[in-house]
Amino acid sequence: MKLIGSLTSPYVRKTRIVFAEKKLEYKFEVENVWEPTTKIQSHNPIGKVPCLLIEENESLYDSRVIVEYLDTLSPVSRLIPQSGRERANVKCWEALGDGLLDAGVTIVKEKQRPAEQISHEWIERQLGKILAALKTMSRDLGEQSFCTGVNYSLADIAVGCALGYLDFRFPDIDWRTTYPNLAKLYEKLAARHSFIDTTPPAA
Ligand SMILES: N[C@@H](CCC(=O)N[C@@H](CS)C(=O)NCC(=O)O)C(=O)O
């Protein structure tokens, strides 16, 4: 299997962490999808990473589909419960983490536009989503060891990638002081090899 991605994309990071936790072998190909010469659309018509090549002409996207597929490939470290409410709950945490990322990436891209085109109203709207997501994460985590209780799961990986992305791109958001329970969870996650090995390079 070959994963196409970048070293800074938090969605790519989520898939790389899952590869590591599942102890699955893969090749990693770095692709800058913002370059005009990118060939990403020959594998993913949406033009985004991560994209997983299973065979030469067979690809999977997006990150949620990829991690769900990887979890079925090996019984090592089951990350998504098999069925029912528990499964939906983990996927909902993932949607929350990814939703925070969607808002964050939107802000980063908006700020890269020419100054006169930047909409501060749009940025504030996206920031509101980030803050609301953090509040919900903290409330639902409570005093549990991991997002859904006692077991480490994809929910923690998604939340860890979202919090790591805030550190990487939004160092001014002091989520640790506001939500000490998220800080405690993140400290535990950040010590795992899968997280350490996929830390984005300094911006
Ligand atoms: N929902 C997608 C989001 C992926 C995504 O937005 N990736 C960004 C990199 S962080 C990208 O490739 N953007 C290129 C573009 O928007 O054209 C997933 O979970 O994989």
Side-chain angles (χ1 to χ4, degrees):
M1 287 185 286
K2 184 161 82 179
L3 183 71
I4 307 176
S6 75
L7 295 170
T8 52
S9 164
Y11 311 94
V12 173
R13 186 180 190 198
K14 185 177 60 167
T15 59
R16 291 172 70 207
I17 289 172
V18 169
F19 265 112
E21 298 287 357
K22 302 288 295 180
K23 304 199 186 318
L24 293 166
E25 295 289 325
Y26 70 108
K27 286 191 188 133
F28 184 51
E29 185 175 293
V30 174
E31 174 81 10
N32 183 348
V33 295
W34 301 102
E35 287 286 337
T37 53
T38 180
K39 298 275 188 298
I40 188 65
Q41 277 180 301
S42 59
H43 300 299
N44 175 3
I46 307 301
K48 295 187 178 190
V49 287
C51 178
L52 182 68
L53 300 194
I54 317 180
E55 302 287 344
E56 195 47 44
N57 288 314
E58 214 181 311
S59 49
L60 285 181
Y61 42 84
D62 60 4
S63 67
R64 291 189 215 179
V65 175
I66 296 171
V67 297
E68 191 162 352
Y69 173 65
L70 296 180
D71 200 38
T72 65
L73 293 185
S74 142
V76 172
S77 305
R78 189 91 218 177
L79 294 171
I80 312 175
Q82 300 273 17
S83 61
R85 181 66 194 268
E86 286 173 353
R87 183 177 177 87
N89 196 23
V90 166
K91 301 286 290 176
C92 192
W93 272 101
E94 185 185 23
L96 186 59
D98 283 11
L100 185 156
L101 291 175
D102 294 343
V105 170
T106 301
I107 293 176
V108 169
K109 289 294 156 198
E110 182 68 13
K111 286 183 172 171
Q112 287 171 357
R113 281 151 54 89
E116 66 280 6
Q117 288 176 22
I118 293 177
S119 165
H120 297 285
E121 199 184 358
W122 181 240
I123 289 175
E124 281 307 309
R125 184 180 170 86
Q126 302 306 321
L127 193 57
K129 295 178 197 294
I130 293 177
L131 299 181
L134 284 170
K135 190 172 179 183
T136 299
M137 284 172 182
S138 173
R139 183 199 66 197
D140 293 352
L141 172 64
E143 294 311 313
Q144 302 181 116
S145 303
F146 292 107
C147 292
T148 59
V150 290
N151 294 323
Y152 174 70
S153 75
L154 178 64
D156 304 288
I157 296 175
V159 167
C161 288
L163 297 174
Y165 187 71
L166 290 183
D167 282 354
F168 180 50
R169 296 288 193 206
F170 297 87
D172 293 345
I173 300 181
D174 185 10
W175 55 270
R176 284 181 177 78
T177 304
T178 316
Y179 302 114
N181 65 341
L182 291 182
K184 196 168 152 197
L185 172 71
Y186 188 70
E187 203 179 320
K188 234 175 342 189
L189 298 176
R192 298 180 78 90
H193 283 298
S194 57
F195 275 78
I196 293 169
D197 294 345
T198 55
T199 304

